[in-house]
Amino acid sequence: MNDKMKNLVVRTISGLGLTVVVLGGILWSQWSLGAVLLLLLVGGVVELYALIEKQGLAPQRALGMMAAVMLFVLNFALVSDDIQVLYGGSKYFVPCVAFFALLIPLMFICELYRKQANPAANIATTILPLFYVALPLSLMLYMPIIGRESWNAWVLIAYVAIVWSNDVFAYLVGIAIGRHRLFERLSPKKSWEGFFGGVAGAVVAGLIAAHLLGDKPLAWVGLALVTVVTAVFGDLAESMFKRAAEVKDSGTLIPGHGGVLDRFDAMLLSAPFVFVYMLCIF
């Protein structure tokens, strides 16, 4: 078996394993969904800090990770029915918010003692994962309940399916007939033909989701279009970080696919836009 075939086998097996873990985590319960997203958050934050450090900056990893995890936990507490019942709803919410709020000014205090050449950039890059990784994954917790009477995991499954359909069809069409470069400076392989192939795949996935969920088809077509446009920028944003760090992949956690950021970059940028779209339309 040659190297290309071995890589394909590894990529296929790890891809299937990742799909089972993600979809299984979403469907099993709110707690398993929270666990899967939290694992992705930790992996994504670690990778982003590594990319930042390769550019000569020195983010405060520990405080940044604590703030990112706390932001996610606060949102999970708002969404989870079990936490509301078992732990008295908002009883602990305000103290947790206060603790989270203190982590940001604490970064400024800690930077005073680090004697780094670029303190402003260090503080900014410490906070960056909160917005680039933790916030989008936190907003995904709300998707199963927006416009619903109860938590429906299949809504989030549908969003994930749209993102992955876009990826698959964009890749296949781009390989087959891609000629016109979409954003050659950051991603030489992406083409306009691949982009429109991804649009088609995402819209079909959206229509299937609307049928299975009993929703209006136009609402899901709109969601698919919002997802595709913003997902492309998600891919490009991650490519921008990797080029600045002069690396091919953000990590090695997922064999054949790279790191968490490599696999979930589209969702990280599209999730906030989809969240707002769902609030307005669903």
Side-chain angles (χ1 to χ4, degrees):
M1 185 181 294
N2 58 40
D3 290 340
K4 286 187 176 181
M5 185 58 67
K6 287 181 180 178
N7 290 336
L8 178 60
V9 172
V10 170
R11 183 179 176 87
T12 302
I13 293 174
S14 63
L16 290 174
L18 179 65
T19 301
V20 171
V21 170
V22 172
L23 298 187
I26 294 173
L27 287 172
W28 195 344
S29 69
Q30 287 179 308
W31 286 94
S32 61
L33 168 61
V36 168
L37 292 180
L38 184 58
L39 287 174
L40 295 179
L41 182 151
V42 172
V45 170
V46 168
E47 291 175 6
L48 184 56
Y49 279 145
L51 294 178
I52 291 169
E53 288 173 346
K54 287 181 183 295
Q55 300 174 54
L57 298 172
Q60 300 174 38
R61 279 176 171 257
L63 280 178
M65 181 63 77
M66 288 175 61
V69 171
M70 181 58 70
L71 177 62
F72 181 84
V73 170
L74 287 171
N75 282 280
F76 183 74
L78 285 176
V79 174
S80 173
D81 296 330
D82 292 337
I83 289 180
Q84 295 293 329
V85 172
L86 295 176
Y87 301 109
S90 61
K91 181 179 179 180
Y92 301 102
F93 187 75
V94 173
C96 289
V97 170
F99 175 73
F100 171 76
L102 289 178
L103 290 173
I104 306 301
L106 189 58
M107 295 175 188
F108 290 81
I109 297 173
C110 290
E111 195 66 30
L112 292 172
Y113 297 92
R114 301 180 77 212
K115 299 179 181 180
Q116 293 289 327
N118 200 339
N122 292 338
I123 293 171
T125 52
T126 299
I127 298 172
L128 176 61
L130 274 69
F131 295 97
Y132 182 61
V133 180
L135 180 61
L137 293 175
S138 298
L139 294 179
M140 289 175 66
L141 291 168
Y142 294 90
M143 292 183 186
I145 62 173
I146 295 177
R148 312 280 165 176
E149 294 182 358
S150 60
W151 190 73
N152 187 343
W154 289 103
V155 176
L156 185 54
I157 292 285
Y159 165 64
V160 173
I162 287 172
V163 174
W164 286 352
S165 296
N166 171 50
D167 286 345
V168 171
F169 280 87
Y171 174 78
L172 293 176
V173 174
I175 289 293
I177 60 173
R179 297 293 183 272
H180 302 86
R181 298 304 100 186
L182 178 65
F183 207 113
E184 192 167 6
R185 177 169 62 87
L186 292 177
S187 186
K189 294 183 179 180
K190 288 190 181 301
S191 66
W192 280 105
E193 291 84 355
F195 170 76
F196 287 113
V199 170
V203 167
V204 170
L207 289 171
I208 293 173
H211 175 72
L212 295 177
L213 292 168
D215 291 337
K216 294 179 179 179
L218 191 59
W220 278 93
V221 169
L223 188 148
L225 293 176
V226 170
T227 299
V228 171
V229 173
T230 54
V232 169
F233 287 109
D235 291 336
L236 293 173
E238 200 236 353
S239 295
M240 175 177 64
F241 289 133
K242 290 192 294 185
R243 280 186 173 270
E246 298 181 344
V247 297
K248 182 178 182 293
D249 296 320
S250 65
T252 58
L253 184 63
I254 309 170
H257 293 269
V260 171
L261 298 181
D262 293 314
R263 184 64 273 176
F264 294 92
D265 52 357
M267 291 184 195
L268 293 180
L269 212 66
S270 69
F273 289 93
V274 171
F275 170 79
V276 172
Y277 173 85
M278 293 178 73
L279 285 178
C280 295
I281 303 300
F282 281 41

